Amino acid sequence: MTNKTESIKNLFKEVIAFDVDDTLVIHDEPKDSENSQTIKIIHPADGKEVSVWVHQAHIKFLKEQHALGRTILVWSQGGADWVQAVITAL
């Protein structure tokens, strides 16, 4: 294996990816909703306010990994503007 290939493999060991919908925030009320927090986000596609449940355990894990120096990649099929709106609200 070349040094370049090894460097790329090591780089990706330090990247953790999270989907927004149903991973960081949940659109349907979770079973343990009494222990969950809701937040309101203005959806960038239509300007309407959306209420979502925060998946506390996943947010905690994301923050722990970031604190360890790992690169966090957050994505959504809804696009970059939706990702930014959710991350800003969190």
Side-chain angles (χ1 to χ4, degrees):
M1 195 176 313
T2 68
N3 285 343
K4 185 176 181 179
T5 304
E6 192 64 36
S7 294
I8 291 170
K9 279 187 166 187
N10 287 333
L11 172 69
F12 283 107
K13 287 180 183 176
E14 298 298 317
V15 176
I16 299 178
F18 293 85
D19 187 6
V20 169
D21 300 298
D22 297 324
T23 302
L24 299 181
V25 297
I26 304 164
H27 294 272
D28 297 323
E29 185 174 355
K31 293 177 184 172
D32 65 343
S33 62
E34 67 276 356
N35 297 322
S36 298
Q37 170 192 3
T38 60
I39 58 173
K40 295 184 186 307
I41 303 170
I42 302 300
H43 201 295
D46 59 13
K48 293 182 180 177
E49 187 175 78
V50 178
S51 213
V52 294
W53 300 86
V54 177
H55 195 302
Q56 302 288 1
H58 290 172
I59 299 299
K60 180 181 177 199
F61 180 72
L62 180 153
K63 290 179 178 181
E64 289 169 349
Q65 296 307 304
H66 184 261
L68 292 171
R70 295 196 170 87
T71 299
I72 305 300
L73 172 69
V74 181
W75 73 279
S76 174
Q77 186 176 355
D81 291 339
W82 175 239
V83 171
Q84 187 62 51
V86 171
I87 294 301
T88 300
L90 291 171

